[in-house]
Each structure stands twice: as C-alpha cells, then as structure tokens.
Amino acid sequence: MKPRHFLDLSDAGGDALAAMINDAIDRKAARTGRPKGAPDADRPLEGHVLAMVFEKSSTRTRVSFDIAIRQLGGSSIVLDAATTQLGRGESVADTARVLSRMADAIMVRTDDPAKLTEMARFAAVPVINGLTDRSHPCQIVADLLTVVEQGKPLPGLEVAWLGDGNNVLHSILEAAALMRFNVRIGAPPGYEPESAFIALARAAGSRVTLTADAAEAVAGADVVVTDTWVSMGQEHTEGKLAAMAPFQVDEALMARAKPDARFLHCLPAHVGEEVTEAVFEGPQSVVFDEAENRIHAQKSILLWCFGRLREQRG
Ligand code: CP
Ligand code: NVA
C-alpha cells in the first residue's frame, strides 16, 4: 500500500486538517497534568519508530516530534545530516529505502523541497515535511490549533502577516485555501511570497491582499503573525533588514488590529527586530501556547499518516 505522506497541507486536505485540530484538542485535554513523556492511555502508535533527519537546526520541531511519538506509545531516532552518510553524499533515494526498512515513519527538515519529494518517492513509509525553504506545514497545524483554542473559528478569520514572504507564510496561504480564511500580507517590495501560493488561496475563495503598508495590513485583523526576517540558510543583508524595519510588529500596529487580536510567531524570535518586546511579552501574545501546540499538532499529523485519527477510525 502507498504510504500516506505529509509533504504539504493539501496532502491532507481541509476535512483531515479539521480532524487533526479536533483530535489534538481532545488528546491535549485528556492528558492534563500527566508527565510529558508518559504515553496517552490508548498508545495508538505503540512500537512505532520515527526517524528524524535534520539538515538544518531545530529546537521545537525536534523536541515536539520526539515527545509526540512517545506520547503515542512509540519512539524516535534523530539523524543529524552532518554525522550521517547523507552528509557525506549518500543519496536521498538510498537513505529513504534504508530508513524505510528500519523505521515506521520519516520526518525530514531540509533546504531544497526536491530532496523531500525524492525522499517520499523512494520511501515505503510515511514522510513528513519538518520544514523546507518552501513550506512549513507542521507549524501551521499548531498555529491553527492555537487560534481555535483562543475561540476564533477559522472560516472568515482575518490573518495579517507582516515581514518576509517566506516558507511559513506559504503554508499559511495553503491553509487559508483549505480552511477558508483570509490573509492580508504586509511585505516590502521584493520580499513577497511565491505567487503560486497566493493564487492557490484565491482560487479557493480566500481573500488575499498584498500591501507595502504595514498599518493597512493589520487593520481589523483577528490574528497578527510574523517570523524572522532572515530564515535559515538565507543571506543576512543590511538592505533586507532596512526594508523590513517598517514591518516590525509593535504596540501601535497591534492597536490597529481587533481589540481581541492575538499575536503568533513560530519562533525562534528576534525580539527587537520583527517584533518588539512589549508585543512579544504582552497580553495578546500566545507564542508559548503555539510552541507547546507543536506537540499536540505533531501527534495528529502522525496519526493521520497512519490512518489512526478518530475520524479515520470511523
Ligand atoms: N518553529 C520551529 O519550527 O522551530 P524550530 O526551528 O526550533 O524547530
Ligand atoms: N522561516 C524560518 C522558520 C523557522 C522555524 C526559517 O526557515 O528559518
């Protein structure tokens, strides 16, 4: 049987994404107060091993996937590319075939999305996108879970993105298409997201606006999101930082959003660059709920890959 890969949000689709969020809410509530490494009562993935391949740095993705698979009854192995044969030139295809004989699922964090699709092409077990330069779908499952937890329904939600048009924004746009919310992008010229992601969201009926005016982007928003101005592997240029400066999320910008708007950031943050300390530490910020929710979202993604989400079990 063909494995069920999670390379991007549209691999799952809107119904499965909604099911992932619901299952995450239920599982999170059911284990309140338990030690973080203790398995859920039903141990749905008992004995399953997740191999995690990192060609880029990670704190949240690495730890949350490890804790997620433990809570589902399984375990994980971390492979840092620098200390594996992949880092010495062994092919992605051979790595995929070997890991498929030794593990039950593979998570990959890499630069080039072509490496991820190559891994999926040759793997006989589910492959999960743990971030590429193009997208970061696991992050957005956690973000949507956080927004729903805050009492905000997704259809019709107004999400403002400020700053660099990067991999995280691409996955937000993909989610907008699936969950029918709107995205207002405030980005300097030259740093907009790939037009294909905007087209995808618009084709699904989402309103996507693009402006170089930060105040216009956040006006009336339910959620304000930003990310680092310089992603992993990108060149750090003074010109880019100067172009991004007007898009720093500060209290004046947050005041233009709805009074009960929430601030999200996938982290790691560069406080004083893309966001001020007052906003990052302020009452509208839910960034540490968002970080914790990586665990709960990851569990739903793993369960979906194995056909074990509640809705899939029938
Ligand atoms: N947000 C996120 O993916 O964090 P890490 O880079 O620490 O995994
Ligand atoms: N856009 C960031 C996200 C980090 C989780 C990066 O790619 O570095």
Side-chain angles (χ1 to χ4, degrees):
M1 205 174 72
K2 213 169 160 282
R4 195 194 284 260
H5 301 307
F6 186 75
L7 306 187
D8 272 309
L9 295 168
S10 37
D11 288 334
D15 290 348
L17 203 45
M20 286 183 197
I21 294 166
N22 290 340
D23 215 36
I25 288 170
D26 290 349
R27 282 191 178 273
K28 183 176 178 180
R31 58 174 297 116
T32 307
R34 306 194 68 193
K36 295 178 181 68
D40 290 355
D42 59 344
R43 297 169 182 251
L45 296 185
E46 177 127 46
H48 288 63
V49 176
L50 172 69
M52 297 195 271
V53 180
F54 284 99
E55 292 199 306
K56 289 183 174 217
S57 305
S58 171
T59 298
R60 277 145 292 270
T61 303
R62 177 175 172 155
V63 177
S64 61
F65 262 113
D66 182 79
I67 299 300
I69 190 79
R70 287 186 207 208
Q71 291 187 359
L72 295 172
S75 60
S76 76
I77 299 170
V78 174
L79 296 93
D80 283 310
T83 56
T84 60
Q85 300 294 4
L86 195 57
R88 292 183 58 250
E90 185 170 14
S91 71
V92 172
D94 289 355
T95 305
R97 287 179 286 184
V98 170
L99 291 180
S100 295
R101 300 291 184 100
M102 298 181 175
D104 298 288
I106 305 168
M107 189 235 73
V108 186
R109 171 169 283 198
T110 187
D111 48 5
D112 184 353
K115 289 191 204 165
L116 179 76
T117 46
E118 179 85 344
M119 187 76 88
R121 188 168 150 232
F122 284 92
V125 299
V127 172
I128 298 170
N129 177 0
L131 178 147
T132 69
D133 290 352
R134 182 173 172 273
S135 62
H136 195 6
C138 294
Q139 179 67 50
I140 303 313
V141 181
D143 289 8
L144 299 183
L145 168 60
T146 308
V147 168
V148 171
E149 266 183 352
Q150 292 294 319
K152 297 182 186 298
L154 299 178
L157 191 80
E158 297 291 335
V159 174
W161 172 275
L162 289 186
D164 193 24
N166 65 14
N167 46 3
V168 174
L169 176 56
H170 288 163
S171 290
I172 288 179
L173 288 165
E174 203 172 352
L178 297 170
M179 307 312 279
R180 300 297 160 89
F181 60 83
N182 304 315
V183 186
R184 302 121 171 266
I185 303 164
Y191 296 102
E192 297 93 349
E194 284 179 22
S195 55
F197 285 94
I198 296 179
L200 181 84
R202 284 183 177 154
S206 300
R207 185 162 23 79
V208 180
T209 55
L210 199 52
T211 172
D213 179 348
E216 185 188 324
V218 295
D222 296 296
V223 178
V224 178
V225 196
T226 190
D227 186 13
T228 180
W229 289 340
V230 183
S231 284
M232 290 182 278
Q234 285 182 347
E235 229 174 280
H236 184 109
T237 64
E238 289 309 314
K240 183 171 187 184
L241 297 192
M244 291 292 162
F247 298 87
Q248 181 189 61
V249 183
D250 60 12
E251 285 175 299
L253 274 184
M254 284 303 291
R256 299 185 70 93
K258 288 200 183 127
D260 65 347
R262 295 289 181 266
F263 172 73
L264 294 182
H265 190 312
C266 66
L267 309 182
H270 303 76
V271 175
E273 291 190 10
E274 70 270 10
V275 58
T276 61
E277 187 174 1
V279 171
F280 188 79
E281 302 289 351
Q284 290 170 286
S285 172
V286 289
V287 297
F288 295 106
D289 287 345
E290 183 184 0
E292 180 195 328
N293 281 339
R294 293 296 304 279
I295 299 174
H296 309 293
Q298 252 58 301
K299 288 167 75 176
S300 287
I301 293 164
L302 286 162
L303 288 170
W304 176 81
C305 287
F306 289 103
R308 298 293 301 274
L309 265 187
R310 253 177 334 161
E311 280 73 358
Q312 292 170 303
R313 292 200 305 268

